[in-house]
Amino acid sequence: MSFEPPGGARRATSDIARVCYVLLLLNLADGMVSTLASAYAGSLGYPIADIGLIVALYSVASLASRLPSARLADGKNAHTWLIASCAIFAASLALYPFATQTWALIAVRILHGVTFGAATTLNMATFLAVCTPANRRAATAGFTASWSGGYSIGNFVAGVIADTYGFGAAFMLAAIFPLIAILATPKLKESLPTTTSAKRDAKATWRVMFNAEVRAVPLLAFSVNFLNALLTTLFPLYVLAIGLTLSVVGTARALQSLTNTLVRPISGSTVQRFGALQLGTAGVVLTAAAIVCIPFSTAPLILLGLFVVVGAGRAVGVVANATGTLDLASKGVLKRGTASALMTAGGDSGNVVAPLLAGATAAAIDIGPAMQVLAIATAVASIVAVLTSRSARVSASSVSA
């Protein structure tokens, strides 16, 4: 039996709190921009199809940053890289009001994506490092609640500030929060010991992707984030098209994230009971069903109610995904940096594909039908992924028997 001194337990608790605080601040800033991005591009005169591409650039850049950031996360200077990525992330947000030309807006979106992707990958790797069997459940609850809590505050604040003071003021306010996050970043004295199973060459690392448990992490992250990015891209445009304001968008997204924050802490035991992939997929289906209902209404109260359902579905999906990722790291299947990158890269892939499909589909069949068609397709794909994964496990068991 191992014994951790009280001072060590207090230090671990403090580090977890700091990691959660950093995540809350980073997501607060990113949540503000996610509410504003498509409407801001629209105010500059871009058509819907081009807006989808502009929104997606951020996610492409974020995806490209994940694997390099994972390597940095497992190195000796991870803390320094986290501080640098937070600082440059703040600078990228402050540049949005000046990015009125196409080349400038593209450059800012790419810089935003790279630095946010690096900061969140490095911060999540820190989270995986400070988790222990004793604090795991509380740590996961706090981390996932901070994830949604940041977006809840950011989404609400963005809409109100943009309506009252304009886009420029909202972007400048967003830039402050990553700078505050720098003050909270914990510096670990040493990295996690690398287990024997995690010491694998590049070919072995790719082979582990054939493991159904490993493959489930990016697949679930893709579905959860695809639906969120679909709403991020099209819902502000839908709201403006039916004569409502960005405050409705911000309030709806804030309610979504608030529901996330409240539901996530109570989802952990349920995920453990039913399995991460199965329950996560149920969350995807619930989210998709709520999105399908959105174009049937123009009443703000009904739209806000549907976003509460969206928030509950997303909460279950994210907790399931985080639990699966933590399992991989704690069992030594993957290094913590690689596990972090695997989950975040899957999510980024959803963020990349959704705006592109959303813009193209909305241009072809209108905004409301585009939300419905893409939501249904995502739910069906998730169900197929679950059935395929279960079939693979059954086949593997039969062969081994």
Side-chain angles (χ1 to χ4, degrees), residues 2 22 58 68 73 95 98 101 115 120 122 164 169 179 193 199 206 311 315 332:
S2 62
V22 170
Y58 147 85
L95 290 173
F98 307 101
Q101 301 295 318
T115 52
T120 49
L122 289 160
T164 307
L179 297 179
K199 294 177 181 177
W206 284 110

Side-chain angles (χ1 to χ4, degrees), residues 11 15 73 75-76 126 129-130 187-193 336:
R11 172 62 186 272
D15 285 342
K76 295 181 179 179
T126 304
V130 298
K187 184 175 182 180
L188 303 181
K189 292 183 178 180
E190 58 185 29
S191 59
L192 275 180
R336 68 171 187 264

Side-chain angles (χ1 to χ4, degrees), residues 3-323:
F3 173 77
E4 184 177 19
R10 285 195 297 269
R11 172 62 186 272
T13 301
S14 174
D15 285 342
I16 289 170
R18 289 165 73 93
V19 168
C20 292
Y21 187 52
V22 170
L23 181 66
L24 184 144
L25 291 168
L26 293 176
N27 284 2
L28 195 163
D30 192 61
M32 290 185 67
V33 179
S34 70
T35 296
L36 300 173
S38 60
Y40 178 61
S43 73
L44 296 177
Y46 292 98
I48 291 179
D50 290 345
I51 290 173
L53 178 59
I54 290 168
V55 171
L57 283 173
Y58 147 85
S59 299
V60 172
S62 182
L63 175 60
S65 74
R66 297 301 186 181
L67 289 180
S69 299
R71 294 182 65 86
L72 296 175
D74 289 323
K76 295 181 179 179
N77 299 314
H79 182 251
T80 301
W81 285 112
L82 177 55
I83 291 175
S85 60
C86 288
I88 303 173
F89 175 41
S92 72
L93 303 187
L95 290 173
Y96 268 98
F98 307 101
T100 56
Q101 301 295 318
T102 300
W103 68 267
L105 185 56
I106 289 174
V108 169
R109 290 294 287 172
I110 291 174
L111 184 63
H112 173 187
V114 167
T115 52
F116 179 73
T120 49
T121 299
L122 289 160
N123 191 55
M124 185 173 183
T126 304
F127 164 72
L128 296 176
V130 298
C131 277
T132 67
N135 64 30
R136 173 175 173 170
R137 178 170 294 183
T140 303
F143 188 78
T144 54
S146 298
W147 192 333
S148 58
Y151 280 110
S152 177
I153 299 169
N155 290 330
F156 176 74
V157 168
V160 173
I161 297 297
D163 280 340
T164 307
Y165 301 105
F167 287 111
F171 285 124
M172 288 299 180
L173 177 61
I176 295 173
F177 298 108
L179 297 179
I180 301 175
I182 292 175
L183 302 177
T185 55
K187 184 175 182 180
L188 303 181
K189 292 183 178 180
E190 58 185 29
S191 59
L192 275 180
T194 303
T195 61
T196 303
S197 59
K199 294 177 181 177
R200 56 181 84 248
D201 57 23
K203 184 179 293 186
T205 300
W206 284 110
R207 274 203 304 269
V208 80
M209 286 300 298
F210 291 98
N211 182 314
E213 184 181 17
V214 174
R215 194 171 61 244
V217 168
L219 287 175
L220 181 55
F222 176 90
S223 298
V224 170
N225 279 32
F226 181 95
L227 293 176
N228 191 60
L230 174 64
L231 282 178
T232 298
T233 304
L234 294 184
F235 185 67
L237 302 176
Y238 174 74
V239 165
L240 295 175
I242 61 177
L244 301 177
T245 68
L246 286 177
S247 293
V248 174
V249 178
T251 304
R253 298 302 300 272
L255 279 174
Q256 173 191 340
S257 297
L258 178 61
T259 307
N260 263 291
T261 305
L262 297 175
V263 172
R264 288 183 186 186
I266 63 176
S267 300
S269 59
T270 308
V271 171
Q272 294 289 350
R273 182 182 305 172
F274 293 100
L277 181 58
Q278 288 77 11
L279 200 64
T281 300
V284 169
V285 173
L286 180 63
T287 303
I291 293 174
V292 168
C293 294
I294 288 175
F296 292 130
S297 177
T298 59
L301 287 179
I302 294 178
L303 296 175
L304 296 180
L306 289 172
F307 265 79
V308 171
V309 179
V310 168
R314 179 169 169 80
V316 173
V318 170
V319 171
N321 215 197
T323 301

